[in-house]
């Protein structure tokens, strides 16, 4: 059997290696138009910033290493320019010699990845405007930032790469401005969670320009002028363009393969394209979102690696293994914060018309009496009908990684908020509390669904201006900062001051505290004294304070 694989890195290289492990006699040829067949794409910003000091650390496997270990024909600097499915051939151009030739196949695998978006903006071809997607891109940026008199950078785009580049450029001592057309960074997050990231970026000296896009670029003595739609002009020694990626589908389109409605290559559950002899995987394909069930583009390294194993098995043994979809579990380091998300956020749920409730909780990353604990802010979305967990987001300085993985496992198994309450975690004071933050998120959601408390979220506050608004924190906490319109009645005084409340037990009342716990206790007191319209502000003052 002769297999051709187009593209290396996470997906294609995984397919090639597993194919060899499954079939020692197969002829396997991998085409990579670049020089490097398998490298740590996600590590590139950290090499530029100096956290990863050795360039060689970026390479998972070299072409020569692949050849020796797996007996695979690795053809770097060779680009497949056309696929002819009827003849089962591909047309290849050697980028060093410009020679072209045809190669036959029995089965073909497409792993072309995605390409950085580069919109048609005036001045975008300025030589000091860079994108980061490959090792050569990295080498170019690394060499540039090490030259003298480089002090100012503008990063355009507030996604994963943009934020990682902003952090690493700040570590190099550069002045960094970050421009984002949306009103928030990190699209997988809801706004209130992204606001915590905004605060961290500003604390670390990154100048944010949100809800503002680039209208054009211009040059002044070699420097780049970034003209924003708001009328602001930023002058930088260089620009990192990081506004997203799109799947590379040119080969697939020209070969007549079906393209999905999201713009990715359409595949079935076995990762097989519309041509039964051609499979595809990685950033180039359209996947099924595990929560919505709808087609989606989710370009992440973890899913690409898993897809590679499935493709290889299906090629060797026939279509036996299905890819069950992607839920988009992701995490990024933003200075001192870990920022993580999985499942669906509110924007996606609204777009797909999926009903949901939301709950914000803030818990210590480990037992409060053990030194060094840090606050973990958690947002979950869940079904009001059956409690099914739909999405989760975690932002904090410690422990966000393991919590998002706990949430991800529940979502992957179509679990509910009651599964969160029952999750058994490894507990010791340095690592967690007896009631883990994930358990706490489940407990709070259970209180909401079972009617023990009614909540509102920060964006619903304007609809409750007619309500009596009570802050039940201590007077000292209240003086340090409060939400406008809220009066202070400390929780421990509430029972003795019920006479100050309206006699009308149907009067709407909103209570808040630091993170929501004391607000819940206050709600229970008021509800059991006959007040029927009591609402606890989810996440309390802490969530509000970042907005």
């Amino acid at each position: 059997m002769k297999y051709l694989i187009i593209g290396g890195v996470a997906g294609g290289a995984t397919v090639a290696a597993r194919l060899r492990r499954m079939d020692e006699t197969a002829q396997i040829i991998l085409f990579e138009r670049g020089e490097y067949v398998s490298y740590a794409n996600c590590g590139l910003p950290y090499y530029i910033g100096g956290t990863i000091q050795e360039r060689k650390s970026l390479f998972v496997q070299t072409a020569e290493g692949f050849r020796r270990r797996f007996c695979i024909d690795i053809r770097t600097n060779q680009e497949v320019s056309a696929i002819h499915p009827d003849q089962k051939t591909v047309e290849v151009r050697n980028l060093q010699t410009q020679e072209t030739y045809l190669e036959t196949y029995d089965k073909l695998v497409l792993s072309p990845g995605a390409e950085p978006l580069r919109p048609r903006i005036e001045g975008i071809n300025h030589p000091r405007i860079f994108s980061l997607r490959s090792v050569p891109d990295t080498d170019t940026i690394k060499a540039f930032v090490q030259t003298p008199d480089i002090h100012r950078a503008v990063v355009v785009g507030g996604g994963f790469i943009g934020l990682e580049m902003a952090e690493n450029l700040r570590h190099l001592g550069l002045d960094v401005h970050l421009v984002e057309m949306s009103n928030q960074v990190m699209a997988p997050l809801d706004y209130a969670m992204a606001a915590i990231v905004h605060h961290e970026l500003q604390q670390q000296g990154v100048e944010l320009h949100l809800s503002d896009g680039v209208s054009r670029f211009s040059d002044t003595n070699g420097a780049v002028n970034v003209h924003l739609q708001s009328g602001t002009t930023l002058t930088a020694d260089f620009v990192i363009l990081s506004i997203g990626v799109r799947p590379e589908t040119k080969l697939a389109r020209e070969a007549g393969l079906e393209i999905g409605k999201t713009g990715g290559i359409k595949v079935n559950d076995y990762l097989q394209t519309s041509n039964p002899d051609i499979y595809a995987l990685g950033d180039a394909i359209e996947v099924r979102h595990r929560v919505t069930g709808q087609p989606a583009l989710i370009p992440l390294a973890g899913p690409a690696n898993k897809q590679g194993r499935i493709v290889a098995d299906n090629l060797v043994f026939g279509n036996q293994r299905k890819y069950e979809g992607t839920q988009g579990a992701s995490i990024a380091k933003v200075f001192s914060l870990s920022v993580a998300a999985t499942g669906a956020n509110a924007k996606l749920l609204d777009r797909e018309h999926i009903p949901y409730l939301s709950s914000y909780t803030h818990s210590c990353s480990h037992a409060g009496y053990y030194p060094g604990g840090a606050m973990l802010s958690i947002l979950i979305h869940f079904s009001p009908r059956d409690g099914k967990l739909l999405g989760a987001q975690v932002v904090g300085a410690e422990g966000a990684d393991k919590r998002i993985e706990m949430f991800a496992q529940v979502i992957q198994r179509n679990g509910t908020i009651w599964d969160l309450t029952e999750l058994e975690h490894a507990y010791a004071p340095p690592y967690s509390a007896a009631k883990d933050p994930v358990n706490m998120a489940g407990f709070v959601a259970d209180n909401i669904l079972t009617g023990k408390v009614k909540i509102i979220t920060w964006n619903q506050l304007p609809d409750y201006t007619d309500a009596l608004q009570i802050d039940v924190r201590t007077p000292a906490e209240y003086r340090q900062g409060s939400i406008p319109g809220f009066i202070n009645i400390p929780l421990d005084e509430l029972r003795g001051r019920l006479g100050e409340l309206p006699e009308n037990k149907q009067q709407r009342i909103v209570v808040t505290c630091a993170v929501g716990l004391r607000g819940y206790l206050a709600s229970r007191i008021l509800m059991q004294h006959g007040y029927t319209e009591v609402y606890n502000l989810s996440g309390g003052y802490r969530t509000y304070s970042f907005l």
Side-chain angles (χ1 to χ4, degrees), residues 186-204:
M186 297 289 285
L189 298 182
D190 287 310
Y191 180 81
M193 300 298 280
I196 304 173
V197 183
H198 299 164
H199 182 265
E200 175 71 7
L201 289 166
Q202 291 167 331
Q203 290 291 105
Q204 298 291 343

Side-chain angles (χ1 to χ4, degrees), residues 193-384:
M193 300 298 280
I196 304 173
V197 183
H198 299 164
H199 182 265
E200 175 71 7
L201 289 166
Q202 291 167 331
Q203 290 291 105
Q204 298 291 343
V206 176
E207 294 288 335
L208 287 181
H209 303 267
L210 301 175
S211 301
D212 210 352
V214 177
S215 60
R216 65 186 179 94
F217 299 101
S218 65
D219 177 272
T220 300
N221 298 323
V224 188
N225 297 315
V226 184
H227 302 273
L228 304 184
Q229 293 171 355
S230 63
T232 301
T233 298
L234 308 173
T235 300
D237 297 310
F238 68 102
V239 172
I240 300 293
L241 196 64
S242 181
I243 58 175
V245 297
R246 62 184 169 205
E248 289 206 26
T249 58
K250 182 174 183 291
L251 278 175
R253 288 178 186 275
E254 293 177 350
L257 301 181
E258 188 174 353
I259 304 299
K261 67 180 183 180
T262 64
I265 301 170
K266 189 170 184 177
V267 295
N268 62 17
D269 289 345
Y270 302 101
L271 300 173
Q272 192 174 37
T273 70
S274 55
N275 184 301
D277 293 318
I278 302 176
Y279 290 72
L281 71 156
D283 295 357
I285 69 169
E286 179 180 84
V287 297
R288 180 177 58 82
H289 196 289
R290 278 185 175 271
V291 174
T292 68
Q294 298 302 308
L297 296 175
I298 306 178
L300 294 170
N305 276 279
K306 297 174 182 66
Q307 292 160 12
R309 292 175 62 87
I310 293 172
V311 166
D313 287 357
N314 288 338
L315 286 169
V316 175
F317 304 115
N319 287 347
Q320 296 182 5
R321 293 190 60 193
K322 292 183 178 182
Y323 183 67
E324 300 294 343
T326 307
Q327 64 194 54
S330 58
I331 191 166
K333 178 180 178 296
V334 184
F335 293 98
S336 68
L337 293 180
S338 295
V339 183
T342 189
N345 62 16
K347 293 185 287 290
L348 178 57
L349 294 169
D350 287 336
R351 189 171 73 225
E352 298 297 335
H353 305 291
I354 297 174
Y356 65 95
L357 294 172
S358 304
S359 174
Y360 296 87
T361 53
H362 305 279
S363 306
C364 191
S365 58
H366 60 242
Y369 57 82
Y370 187 89
M375 188 66 72
L376 277 174
S377 296
I378 294 175
L379 166 63
I380 62 172
H381 300 303
F382 52 95
S383 168

Side-chain angles (χ1 to χ4, degrees), residues 4 44 50 101 130 166 212 217-218 343 356 359 449 462 528:
L4 302 188
L44 302 181
Y101 62 94
F130 307 114
D212 210 352
F217 299 101
S218 65
Y356 65 95
S359 174
L449 277 186
Q528 292 180 79

Side-chain angles (χ1 to χ4, degrees), residues 196 362 375-377 513-515 539-547:
I196 304 173
H362 305 279
M375 188 66 72
L376 277 174
S377 296
C513 63
V515 298
Y541 181 72
R542 182 174 178 83
T543 294
Y544 178 88
S545 67
F546 286 107
L547 302 173

Side-chain angles (χ1 to χ4, degrees), residues 257-519:
L257 301 181
E258 188 174 353
I259 304 299
K261 67 180 183 180
T262 64
I265 301 170
K266 189 170 184 177
V267 295
N268 62 17
D269 289 345
Y270 302 101
L271 300 173
Q272 192 174 37
T273 70
S274 55
N275 184 301
D277 293 318
I278 302 176
Y279 290 72
L281 71 156
D283 295 357
I285 69 169
E286 179 180 84
V287 297
R288 180 177 58 82
H289 196 289
R290 278 185 175 271
V291 174
T292 68
Q294 298 302 308
L297 296 175
I298 306 178
L300 294 170
N305 276 279
K306 297 174 182 66
Q307 292 160 12
R309 292 175 62 87
I310 293 172
V311 166
D313 287 357
N314 288 338
L315 286 169
V316 175
F317 304 115
N319 287 347
Q320 296 182 5
R321 293 190 60 193
K322 292 183 178 182
Y323 183 67
E324 300 294 343
T326 307
Q327 64 194 54
S330 58
I331 191 166
K333 178 180 178 296
V334 184
F335 293 98
S336 68
L337 293 180
S338 295
V339 183
T342 189
N345 62 16
K347 293 185 287 290
L348 178 57
L349 294 169
D350 287 336
R351 189 171 73 225
E352 298 297 335
H353 305 291
I354 297 174
Y356 65 95
L357 294 172
S358 304
S359 174
Y360 296 87
T361 53
H362 305 279
S363 306
C364 191
S365 58
H366 60 242
Y369 57 82
Y370 187 89
M375 188 66 72
L376 277 174
S377 296
I378 294 175
L379 166 63
I380 62 172
H381 300 303
F382 52 95
S383 168
R385 180 177 60 86
D386 57 10
K388 180 179 177 181
L389 186 62
L390 303 172
Q393 298 160 36
V394 186
V395 177
E398 176 188 281
D401 53 346
K402 74 173 182 179
R403 271 55 182 231
I404 204 66
E405 288 164 359
M406 294 165 75
F407 285 120
Q409 290 303 305
V410 172
I411 292 174
Q412 188 171 343
R413 286 161 175 75
N414 295 313
T416 69
I417 56 101
W418 291 289
D419 293 311
L420 300 180
T421 69
E422 296 176 3
L423 274 177
E424 184 175 342
H425 62 284
Y427 162 61
Y431 303 105
S432 182
K435 296 177 182 177
D436 188 80
V438 173
N439 299 139
M440 291 302 300
F443 295 149
V444 172
D446 169 73
N447 288 338
I448 295 167
L449 277 186
T450 55
K452 296 181 180 68
V453 67
K454 298 176 184 178
I455 65 160
I456 63 169
T457 52
W458 64 272
N459 53 332
Q460 294 173 310
L461 263 179
D463 299 329
Y464 287 79
T465 54
D466 64 333
L468 174 63
Q469 299 175 331
I470 305 173
D471 187 325
V472 299
R473 294 176 298 160
T474 66
E477 291 174 285
Y478 182 79
R479 287 192 296 269
Q480 290 176 355
S482 63
I483 303 173
F486 277 74
I487 64 171
N488 184 217
I489 302 178
L491 175 63
D492 294 343
E493 300 177 12
L494 181 59
R495 291 183 180 86
R497 296 176 62 177
L498 291 175
E500 300 176 26
L501 305 186
E503 293 184 4
N504 178 10
K505 295 298 179 75
Q506 284 75 49
Q507 166 69 43
R508 292 207 297 184
I509 300 175
V510 176
V511 294
T512 191
C513 63
V515 298
L517 174 58
R518 283 174 287 178

